[in-house]
């Protein structure tokens, strides 16, 4: 097959944006290329126009354009025109739900939308008001799609309900990992009492709950450290331009001395940080899956995760990780403290976590599932 992907991000030195969504796409398209399929990736919102081929994948960078009025419409029409002019042998296009980028487009291709996490979905999960225009764009976009894919049952079912879409058009296919790139030959070598959190510093990631957890934890385990990795962001609730600055205000003096913020680091350095961690902790309030959770599990790490919806597809509580509601601070403190003081439990969790990833998140298996579904959509 020849499949195309439309995305605002992709981890590549020539592309300006990279994140969890881009990583999941990269894992998939590289696996599809190995299976002999042809792949084109259209990346919008870029500084310049460019076309290049890397690892047998053809990339089209579509420069961001400025308009005096109606940019939300005219830029989408510009992307539409560019894709339609470059279809060639492409059989199908996949696009994300975020911002409803395919709204107003009349594409000359079947369209599948993957629920990476729309604004509509996140506003619903976080119980906050959504801008009318964002809801309109995303609703317009999904109404044009032939079918939908979601990475977890919760994210898929909630999204279909929110957009009032027929559930028979939904397929659940987990994100996958290139397992050969996730090797931890010495899982017993880590920095004791070191906690790690990876992700954008934003309220929905549970970062304030994590600060509250660490304030209590450091009183029990004074040698504890907490490392944050990820880009800073503004805070919608307070209007602050820096969530990190707000987080610092919540730290006790003792906790602040044991917390480090490394900012956003190159993707190829993240694994090293995961391997150093004693425990990885992700008390997120809103995700569709959470790539860093399964990456940490693949590296034989003890993970303490959120227990909300989507996490049920990832972790079997007490077997390959632990799950608590982000607001249940005491449970996080007790579980992390228990892991800090039980080396055998850390080892057993890590081993079982890796087995779970091999069984459920192998990108080679996921790639074949995607192809089967693509063919089903085309044939229908």
């Amino acid at each position: 097959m020849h499949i195309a992907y439309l995305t605002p991000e992709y981890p590549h030195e020539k592309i300006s944006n990279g994140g969890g969504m881009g990583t999941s796409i990269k894992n998939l398209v590289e696996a599809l290329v190995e299976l002999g399929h042809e792949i084109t990736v259209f990346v919008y919102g870029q500084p310049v126009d460019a076309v290049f081929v890397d690892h047998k994948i053809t990339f089209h960078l579509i420069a961001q354009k400025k308009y005096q009025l109606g940019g939300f419409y005219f830029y989408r029409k510009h992307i539409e025109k560019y894709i339609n002019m470059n279809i060639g042998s492409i059989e199908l296009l996949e696009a994300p739900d975020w911002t409803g980028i395919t709204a107003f487009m009349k594409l000359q291709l079947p369209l599948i939308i993957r629920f990476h996490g729309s604004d509509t979905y996140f506003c619903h999960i976080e119980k906050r008001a959504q801008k009318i225009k964002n809801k309109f764009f995303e609703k317009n976009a999904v109404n044009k799609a032939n079918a939908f894919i979601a990475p977890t049952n919760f994210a898929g079912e909630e999204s279909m309900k929110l957009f009032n879409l027929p559930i028979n058009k939904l397929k659940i296919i987990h994100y996958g990992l290139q397992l050969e790139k996730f090797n931890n030959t010495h899982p017993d070598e880590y920095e004791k009492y070191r906690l790690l959190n990876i992700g954008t510093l934003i309220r929905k990631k549970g970062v304030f709950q994590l600060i509250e957890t660490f304030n209590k934890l450091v009183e029990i385990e004074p040698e504890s450290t907490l490392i944050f990795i990820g880009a800073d962001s503004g805070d919608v609730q307070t209007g602050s331009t820096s969530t990190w600055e707000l987080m610092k205000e919540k730290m006790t003096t003792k906790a602040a001395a044991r917390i480090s913020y490394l900012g956003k680091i190159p993707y190829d350095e993240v694994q090293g940080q995961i391997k150093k961690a004693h425990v990885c902790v992700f008390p997120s309030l809103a995700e569709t899956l959470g790539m860093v959770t399964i990456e940490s599990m693949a590296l034989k790490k003890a993970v303490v995760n959120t227990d909300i919806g989507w996490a049920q597809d990832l972790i079997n509580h007490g077997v390959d990780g632990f799950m608590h509601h982000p607001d249940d601070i005491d449970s996080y403190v007790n579980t992390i403290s228990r892991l800090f003081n039980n080396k055998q439990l850390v080892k057993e969790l890590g081993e079982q976590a890796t087995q779970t990833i091999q069984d459920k998140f192998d990108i080679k298996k996921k790639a074949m599932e995607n192809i089967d579904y693509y063919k089903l959509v085309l044939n229908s």
Side-chain angles (χ1 to χ4, degrees):
M1 296 183 71
H2 186 176
I3 309 146
Y5 295 83
L6 178 64
T7 175
E9 62 181 50
Y10 192 98
H12 193 283
E13 60 184 8
K14 294 183 179 180
I15 297 173
S16 61
N17 299 318
M21 179 174 74
T23 299
S24 69
I25 295 171
K26 181 177 187 287
N27 290 341
L28 176 58
V29 301
E30 289 185 352
L32 291 174
V33 167
E34 285 189 14
L35 290 173
H37 300 285
E38 188 174 351
I39 302 296
T40 296
V41 179
F42 296 101
V43 190
Y44 63 90
Q46 296 301 293
V48 296
D49 288 315
V51 180
F52 63 93
V53 178
D54 190 15
H55 290 84
K56 299 181 181 179
I57 302 166
T58 301
F59 292 90
H60 290 256
L61 307 190
I62 305 173
Q64 182 66 50
K65 289 185 174 292
K66 293 183 179 180
Y67 304 87
Q68 288 186 339
L69 291 171
F72 64 89
Y73 175 82
F74 290 112
Y75 186 55
R76 283 174 168 83
K77 298 303 285 186
H78 170 70
I79 296 171
E80 169 205 299
K81 182 178 179 181
Y82 186 93
I83 292 173
N84 285 338
M85 287 176 59
N86 289 277
I87 287 177
S89 62
I90 297 171
E91 299 168 67
L92 177 146
L93 176 73
E94 180 180 303
D97 49 350
W98 177 249
T99 73
I101 189 61
T102 51
F104 317 120
M105 291 187 189
K106 295 180 181 179
L107 297 164
Q108 298 168 13
L109 285 166
L111 172 66
I112 289 180
I113 285 183
R114 194 177 299 256
F115 291 125
H116 293 284
S118 63
D119 186 59
T120 302
Y121 171 82
F122 283 128
C123 285
H124 171 72
I125 299 301
E126 297 175 66
K127 296 181 174 58
R128 58 181 171 86
Q130 184 184 19
K131 292 180 180 178
I132 294 174
K133 68 172 186 177
N134 291 354
K135 186 173 184 178
F136 173 72
F137 294 156
E138 291 181 344
K139 179 63 175 174
N140 185 285
V142 298
N143 283 342
K144 295 178 180 295
N146 299 83
F148 306 88
I149 298 174
T152 57
N153 286 279
F154 179 85
E157 291 168 6
E158 288 296 310
S159 295
M160 296 300 276
K161 288 178 188 175
L162 290 167
F163 291 118
N164 194 27
L165 297 167
I167 197 69
N168 65 338
K169 286 192 173 186
L170 173 69
K171 177 71 173 178
I172 307 301
I173 306 177
H174 296 320
Y175 296 147
L177 297 179
Q178 297 171 329
L179 298 183
E180 66 277 8
K181 294 183 178 180
F182 288 82
N183 296 307
N184 189 358
T185 53
H186 300 287
D188 56 335
E189 294 180 5
Y190 49 78
E191 293 186 17
K192 198 170 182 181
Y193 304 131
R194 182 184 178 101
L195 277 180
L196 177 65
N197 178 266
I198 307 168
T200 302
L201 300 189
I202 191 169
R203 194 173 289 270
K204 71 181 181 182
K205 295 290 187 180
V207 292
F208 292 105
Q209 285 86 346
L210 185 49
I211 293 298
E212 189 176 346
T213 295
F214 193 72
N215 286 343
K216 290 189 173 184
L217 182 68
V218 78
E219 295 295 333
I220 300 170
E221 299 290 354
E223 297 303 309
S224 301
T225 57
L226 171 58
I227 311 299
F228 286 99
I229 295 174
D232 195 4
S233 70
D235 181 57
V236 175
Q237 186 170 312
T238 63
S240 171
T241 58
S242 171
T243 297
W244 172 242
E245 291 301 320
L246 294 178
M247 290 163 62
K248 289 196 290 185
E249 293 174 7
K250 302 292 184 181
M251 300 173 193
T252 63
T253 301
K254 187 180 290 187
R258 310 292 298 174
I259 295 176
S260 299
Y261 173 41
L262 305 185
K264 189 174 182 180
I265 67 174
Y267 182 72
D268 58 6
E269 295 179 14
V270 172
Q271 275 202 29
Q273 291 293 333
I274 294 174
K275 290 175 181 178
K276 283 185 187 180
H278 194 155
V279 176
C280 295
V281 57
F282 307 111
S284 185
L285 295 156
E287 300 280 359
T288 54
L289 183 143
M291 287 296 291
V292 290
T293 296
I294 61 174
E295 289 175 344
S296 299
M297 293 171 70
L299 290 169
K300 299 185 178 180
K301 285 290 132 179
V303 172
V304 187
N305 208 57
T306 184
D307 71 347
I308 302 175
W310 64 90
Q312 309 301 324
D313 283 20
L314 312 185
I315 290 175
N316 184 0
H317 181 71
V319 176
D320 50 17
F322 287 99
M323 298 185 295
H324 303 296
H325 192 279
D327 292 333
D328 188 357
I329 305 300
D330 287 342
S331 289
Y332 272 90
V333 172
N334 292 337
T335 295
I336 294 167
S337 181
R338 179 184 171 196
L339 289 168
F340 278 173
N341 292 286
N342 191 331
K343 190 172 184 178
Q344 184 60 31
L345 178 58
V346 168
K347 179 181 179 181
E348 291 173 359
L349 279 180
E351 289 175 349
Q352 188 57 53
T354 301
Q355 187 61 55
T356 296
I357 299 303
Q358 291 173 350
D359 293 342
K360 296 172 62 176
F361 299 96
D362 181 348
I363 193 57
K364 294 178 181 177
K365 298 175 185 176
K366 300 295 111 181
M368 289 187 284
E369 284 184 42
N370 277 274
I371 287 297
D372 288 344
Y373 188 57
Y374 291 157
K375 289 179 177 178
L376 180 64
V377 172
L378 287 175
N379 291 333
S380 63

